[in-house]
Amino acid sequence: MNADKFDMGNIDIAWCPGCGNFSILDVLKDSLAELEISPEQLVMVSGIGQAAKIPHYLKANFFNGLHGRALSPATAIKVSSPSLTVIAESGDGDMYGEGGNHFIHTIRRNPNITNIVHDNMVYGLTKGQASPTSRPGFKTGVQINGVVLEPFNPLAVAIGLDAGFAARTSITDKELTKDIIKQAVRHNGYALVDLLQPCPSFNKVNNYKWFKENTYRLEDTHDPSERDRAFSLACKTDKLALGVFYKSQKPSFEENISAGPEPLHEKRLDTDKLESLIKSFAS
Amino acid sequence: MNALRSENSGVSIVLCGQAGQGIQTVEKLLTSILKASGWNVFATKEYMSRIRGGTNSTLIRVGSKPVRGFINRIDVLAALDKSAGGHLAKRISPETVIMGEKEVLSGFGDTGSFFEAGFSQAAKDLGGKVYANTVAVGALLRLLGIPAEEVKEPLERFFGGKSDEIIEKNQQALQKGFEMAEKPAEDFGAGLKLSGEPDVQGRMLVNGAQAVGLGALAGGCNFISSYPMSPSTAVLAFLAQNGGGLGLIAEQAEDEIAAVNMAVGAWYAGARAMITTSGGGFALMSEGVSLAGMMESPLVMHLAQRPGPATGLPTRTEQGDLELALYSGHGEFPRIILAPGTLSEAFSLAKKAFDTADKYQVPVIILTDQYFMDSYYNTETFSLEGLKKSSYITKTDKDYLRYKLTENGISPRGVPGFGEGLVCQDSDEHDQQGRITEDLELRVKMNDKRLKKLEAAKAETVQPSLVGAEDYENIIVCWGSNYNIVKEAIELSGRSDTAMLHFSQVYPVPEKAIEKLKRAKKTAVLENNATGQFAKLLKLQLDFEPDEKILKYNGMPFAADALSEKINEMF
């Protein structure tokens, strides 16, 4: 399948020049094309923020909802219509800040969805405040003396919760990003892709060069079934490892609740069964 | 017993004690035996927000005619704890027969007719404390004058599945209770001088939560996501326990925000989804209400009210959240609010809520309250006759537009994966395709489109019911759970010049109601809240102002007997 299947043509894109989102969009389209997913069978779910606009810039079904809430509708969409490919894609503020509680519980629930988080360590849409992943000392118009909060560590949290699939990549390494997105979509269960990206407008510290210099690919010998090792790698933040940290095979949410493969809108109410339930209150 | 002279209101029995003392067992056993013997029953409870201890009471009414609402009067009080005396002091009269163990009766003053009953000793003699509740049920049945032979079979059915020994022991316990109450029954002149109705046996015995749950299933509900909160949890539990066989997915969400966003997502993918919550949870869900408004997503929300603000009185009742339901969510968009008055209406309106939400792509809110959730009575069996699963989902074509501008504002609703088109829903202002727009002219068109749907939905407004005198002079307006209480209060008052106008749809207010209101010489609006929220809405929508407001907000429902006196004072 060709990536242009997902092209929106000549549209107005609201991202700043040089934004990492452009490359992410391209890589995403390539990944989906290589996975042979049709736009009609794909649902992109997002919240609010610059990254959350991604569904508007590629051809697919989409549910662009509320700030921090992408994971809740994504879960419900998948369980209501299990044959759809569901990708929840938004930024670090959306998924880890406003949506932190849903992030934790979606990992526990393990729906078969892919969660791509554009992680630029800053709030772009609201013009440059700290995000949950901003690094200590990062100065902004609000954090005037620099960030003092411990950064949120999405990989460590996900591995701590025994996530089905936990990976980090950086858009500075397109090839790896494409490979990881494809693996994540193929994974049965919840898959986290923490996707590092530069924000040229509001994050002058963690720029393209910084990501190049401060990241490295996990070695081929890394075994993603080793949870302890994956957790200790996730806790290392001086240099950031890229790759699939951890994978565990377990039943997805849909499998656990035995919803069946048929979409709910095709199911018909069994009136005989309901009738007998009603009658049980009359005896 | 005063009640025995009252054909209309039957006998009123109250069980009172601490949580964990087995009140619910007595309640269940007694109501199921009475109903199986052909008596009309009603039960409702009031309880403290604690798992054990405290002082709780259950009112059970039994009559030859339907009994369906709360009253203050107590004819027989089964006291299981000393604190019952103080807790119910205002409701005890010299004619109240109070039965209980010696030490429990010491907690009462002089008012009442006392019957010292050794339930524990009798149970011990039978081999265990566990039988004390059945002994009490036996004593109560004897006081009501129901022959022992008549309840043998219903008791067996109640314990069906248990060992023969357990059934036999309980039969003995019941007999013990009968014997124990023999003399008091004669002394107090007790005995139901009423007659049972054989067809009561075949009717349903359900509570408000079950009625809402069954109505939802009949409405095609196949997805519920909620966070537990009293008193709404019973609907979530009911659907989790009974919906599985019908293909329903029930998920306990991590919070109310997740619950409502899941429900909107589920509708998007073609499910018929609902949430159930109380005021505090609904407050958290307001962003989801707004989302449904903008996305034009159907949504069914059940809001079981309890007193607020904040955590308020968690286990008590109130109608204080009408304005929350009405104004929750920012921006301007249509919604419909239903407030069932009876159990059969809870069934039919919960069913209707799904159809209305689906057809007009708007949030529909079902307003009940703790009193409604926790009350039950025998009612005609819910009918599925004429039930057709109406699907409003369209198969999409290549050029599908989710928000197509149409005459009545309703766009054909597709779901992803069904057809060749793409289904795009956005929380931002959007174009016909569903993509973000800042075209300000289009904004006006889209806003108008959304608002227009309310006009279309008005065609299906649920009209209020006028109950009582056709040629009335006075009208009492009420809504939601007060239906049976006001109806009975008017009957007890003996007033043939007074009628009730009950609203089961509170928003939009049925416009034609104004004609009925204008015909009355005097009007009152009755609500379980402090500020008259529905009265304010009547003023706003119909420019109607009542002569009186009858408001109660101490956490308890209105009592039909007290209200009948109020009616006679007022009109």
Side-chain angles (χ1 to χ4, degrees):
Chain A
M1 192 189 280
N2 205 314
D4 62 13
K5 234 190 142 128
F6 296 96
D7 273 351
M8 286 295 297
N10 190 21
I11 51 162
D12 176 33
I13 291 190
W15 292 327
C16 310
C19 177
N21 285 335
F22 288 101
S23 302
I24 295 176
L25 179 60
D26 288 343
V27 170
L28 179 68
K29 285 181 189 170
D30 286 344
S31 311
L32 292 166
E34 287 177 26
L35 287 164
E36 300 281 332
I37 291 166
S38 76
E40 293 78 24
Q41 286 299 314
L42 171 67
V43 182
M44 296 294 298
V45 187
S46 67
I48 297 301
Q50 292 297 2
K53 289 176 181 161
I54 206 142
H56 284 282
Y57 304 145
L58 90 171
K59 207 177 255 174
N61 297 290
F62 70 75
F63 183 106
N64 180 198
L66 297 174
H67 194 26
R69 314 299 173 219
L71 292 170
S72 305
T75 302
I77 292 163
K78 182 68 186 175
V79 77
S80 300
S81 197
S83 65
L84 297 169
T85 298
V86 179
I87 298 178
E89 184 160 353
S90 248
D92 44 331
D94 193 81
M95 293 291 179
Y96 306 146
E98 193 85 28
N101 198 27
H102 312 308
F103 176 67
I104 290 170
H105 294 281
T106 304
I107 295 173
R108 293 180 54 225
R109 204 170 269 127
N110 197 35
N112 186 8
I113 62 171
T114 306
N115 185 17
I116 302 172
V117 187
H118 299 209
D119 189 352
N120 57 13
M121 305 174 178
V122 73
Y123 278 4
L125 188 69
T126 53
K127 302 189 174 176
Q129 302 78 27
S131 97
T133 53
S134 292
R135 314 217 355 136
F138 182 65
K139 285 190 182 177
T140 81
V142 174
Q143 289 75 22
I144 52 169
N145 296 318
V147 166
V148 293
L149 270 61
E150 189 68 33
F152 183 75
N153 187 328
L155 270 299
V157 170
I159 296 163
L161 290 167
D162 197 27
F165 182 101
R168 178 163 58 213
T169 182
S170 169
I171 199 58
T172 53
D173 189 339
K174 287 188 193 174
E175 194 191 339
L176 180 70
T177 301
K178 190 166 80 177
D179 177 52
I180 283 177
I181 289 175
K182 282 164 66 182
Q183 284 192 56
V185 174
R186 279 200 204 104
H187 173 79
N188 178 42
Y190 172 85
L192 170 69
V193 180
D194 184 53
L195 207 176
L196 303 172
Q197 69 160 127
C199 171
S201 297
F202 298 109
N203 189 341
K204 307 288 183 199
V205 181
N206 310 104
N207 55 19
Y208 194 88
K209 187 167 166 261
W210 187 91
F211 283 118
K212 275 265 181 210
E213 286 168 1
N214 288 279
T215 58
Y216 66 97
R217 281 192 188 191
L218 280 172
E219 284 170 20
D220 290 345
T221 53
H222 175 72
D223 179 357
S225 68
E226 278 180 32
R227 191 168 169 212
D228 290 352
R229 169 86 183 127
F231 187 77
S232 74
L233 274 168
C235 291
K236 286 193 177 23
T237 52
D238 47 344
K239 272 210 165 197
L240 303 168
L242 306 178
V244 179
F245 281 59
Y246 181 62
K247 266 205 284 197
S248 76
Q249 293 301 333
K250 51 187 178 180
S252 68
F253 178 56
E254 304 86 86
E255 287 162 345
N256 277 327
I257 62 169
S258 320
E262 198 185 0
L264 290 181
H265 74 89
E266 280 179 15
K267 288 186 182 165
R268 289 290 164 263
L269 177 66
D270 186 336
T271 45
D272 291 343
K273 272 190 189 166
L274 180 55
E275 186 96 52
S276 69
L277 175 60
I278 290 172
K279 291 234 167 87
S280 71
F281 288 91
S283 59
Chain B
M1 285 193 281
N2 197 13
L4 307 186
R5 291 190 292 274
S6 168
E7 269 282 309
N8 283 334
S9 66
V11 177
S12 139
I13 303 158
V14 168
L15 314 166
C16 184
Q18 296 180 13
Q21 276 190 312
I23 292 180
Q24 275 181 17
T25 316
V26 180
E27 175 194 347
K28 263 191 171 167
L29 186 55
L30 194 61
T31 51
S32 70
I33 288 177
L34 288 167
K35 191 243 171 190
S37 307
W39 303 93
N40 285 287
V41 291
F42 164 85
T44 192
K45 58 184 172 181
E46 54 90 18
Y47 47 103
M48 290 180 172
S49 179
R50 44 196 288 184
I51 310 297
R52 288 203 172 269
T55 309
N56 307 319
S57 76
T58 295
L59 166 72
I60 298 170
R61 298 180 65 187
V62 48
S64 55
K65 290 184 180 162
V67 275
R68 295 180 164 180
F70 183 77
I71 55 170
N72 277 335
R73 197 192 72 228
I74 302 174
D75 298 320
V76 183
L77 168 61
L80 303 175
D81 183 67
K82 257 186 175 177
S83 62
H87 188 65
L88 298 170
K90 284 186 184 156
R91 293 171 63 190
I92 295 170
S93 78
E95 284 157 322
T96 307
V97 175
I98 305 168
M99 62 178 229
E101 308 259 358
K102 191 176 179 181
E103 50 161 57
V104 169
L105 294 185
S106 69
F108 289 79
D110 294 333
T111 310
S113 309
F114 297 94
F115 156 27
E116 191 185 312
F119 300 134
S120 319
Q121 191 52 51
K124 234 181 261 167
D125 295 345
L126 281 166
K129 272 206 304 205
V130 62
Y131 300 110
N133 290 326
T134 310
V135 178
V137 170
L140 282 165
L141 289 167
R142 176 61 194 95
L143 285 178
L144 296 174
I146 292 173
E149 313 81 69
E150 212 172 274
V151 299
K152 256 189 111 152
E153 204 207 307
L155 182 102
E156 208 172 299
R157 218 180 308 155
F158 184 84
F159 287 105
K162 295 268 162 67
S163 74
D164 287 351
E165 197 204 332
I166 290 178
I167 295 174
E168 178 53 32
K169 286 273 190 192
N170 275 291
Q171 294 284 15
Q172 287 174 19
L174 199 76
Q175 189 57 39
K176 254 302 212 266
F178 265 93
E179 286 162 17
M180 201 178 276
E182 196 67 48
K183 190 168 178 306
E186 277 168 27
D187 291 352
F188 303 130
L192 268 179
K193 293 183 184 65
L194 306 164
S195 48
E197 287 182 288
D199 63 336
V200 166
Q201 292 163 339
R203 291 187 195 153
M204 296 180 90
L205 189 59
V206 282
N207 66 23
Q210 291 161 340
V212 169
L214 288 168
L217 289 172
C221 175
N222 51 22
F223 187 102
I224 183 165
S225 48
S226 285
Y227 186 86
M229 183 172 187
S230 292
S232 69
T233 317
V235 173
L236 172 63
F238 176 82
L239 289 174
Q241 287 159 20
N242 298 286
L246 292 158
L248 175 134
I249 293 166
E251 178 61 358
Q252 182 178 316
E254 58 270 27
D255 55 32
E256 286 86 350
I257 297 169
V260 71
N261 279 281
M262 277 183 188
V264 176
W267 276 101
Y268 166 80
R272 280 196 162 193
M274 86 181 284
I275 60 88
T276 179
T277 189
S278 184
F282 198 91
L284 282 169
M285 289 181 177
S286 63
E287 62 163 43
V289 182
S290 189
L291 176 70
M294 178 53 109
M295 282 193 162
E296 302 194 38
S297 170
L299 179 61
V300 176
M301 308 181 82
H302 171 236
L303 166 50
Q305 302 164 95
R306 70 187 214 190
T311 316
L313 290 169
T315 60
R316 304 289 170 180
T317 203
E318 194 165 278
Q319 292 181 305
D321 296 336
L322 171 59
E323 287 175 347
L324 173 71
L326 184 59
Y327 297 116
S328 66
H330 53 288
E332 299 170 300
F333 57 92
R335 72 189 75 198
I336 290 159
I337 308 175
L338 305 171
T342 63
L343 294 176
S344 61
E345 211 173 44
F347 175 76
S348 61
L349 291 185
K351 181 171 66 161
K352 185 185 168 68
F354 283 87
D355 209 53
T356 308
D358 204 345
K359 193 167 175 184
Y360 299 101
Q361 303 170 31
V362 294
V364 178
I365 299 157
I366 305 164
L367 267 183
T368 67
D369 51 47
Q370 179 269 324
Y371 168 67
F372 194 82
M373 285 287 99
D374 286 332
S375 298
Y376 62 92
Y377 53 79
N378 52 282
T379 182
E380 57 279 16
T381 301
F382 302 153
S383 169
L384 292 178
E385 215 169 291
L387 182 82
K388 51 177 194 314
K389 159 99 185 188
S390 35
S391 174
Y392 297 95
I393 293 170
T394 313
K395 190 169 187 176
T396 58
D397 56 30
K398 266 198 153 33
D399 306 315
Y400 174 71
L401 296 173
R402 172 67 187 91
Y403 300 110
K404 188 175 179 169
L405 293 167
T406 60
E407 196 62 39
N408 60 5
I410 304 163
S411 320
R413 190 168 71 88
V415 299
F418 184 51
E420 293 174 77
L422 296 176
V423 184
C424 305
Q425 289 195 177
D426 208 276
S427 66
D428 274 64
E429 191 55 271
H430 41 253
D431 61 15
Q432 295 190 73
Q433 207 180 27
R435 293 184 187 270
I436 292 181
T437 183
E438 292 199 44
D439 177 336
L440 303 185
E441 276 174 38
L442 191 53
R443 151 71 185 178
V444 173
K445 279 186 191 155
M446 280 293 164
N447 218 30
D448 289 347
K449 164 190 155 49
R450 290 189 287 269
L451 292 172
K452 250 193 251 174
K453 295 190 296 179
L454 193 64
E455 290 308 311
K458 279 184 184 170
E460 289 179 41
T461 300
V462 185
Q463 295 302 323
S465 0
L466 185 74
V467 180
E470 279 286 330
D471 50 346
Y472 54 84
E473 287 190 7
N474 314 310
I475 269 194
I476 300 178
V477 173
C478 64
W479 59 280
S481 64
N482 284 314
Y483 183 98
N484 283 312
I485 293 168
V486 176
K487 179 173 179 270
E488 183 175 358
I490 294 173
E491 284 164 8
L492 289 175
S493 75
R495 299 286 294 254
S496 57
D497 59 353
T498 304
M500 164 176 89
L501 189 64
H502 176 273
F503 288 78
S504 308
Q505 175 168 325
V506 288
Y507 183 82
V509 178
E511 285 159 6
K512 275 189 262 168
I514 192 69
E515 296 160 18
K516 291 194 171 69
L517 292 168
K518 277 189 172 159
R519 259 172 38 208
K521 286 189 183 144
K522 200 169 177 191
T523 54
V525 173
L526 175 142
E527 300 181 58
N528 252 142
N529 60 46
T531 57
Q533 297 185 13
F534 188 57
K536 282 188 260 177
L537 192 53
L538 287 171
K539 172 73 183 157
L540 195 69
Q541 294 228 307
L542 303 183
D543 197 23
F544 163 79
E545 226 160 328
D547 301 304
E548 305 263 359
K549 283 183 205 157
I550 312 170
L551 306 171
K552 186 171 187 180
Y553 45 94
N554 68 347
M556 288 290 286
F558 282 99
D561 46 1
L563 187 60
S564 75
E565 287 169 26
K566 174 98 183 161
I567 290 169
N568 278 320
E569 280 165 27
M570 203 166 52
F571 296 129

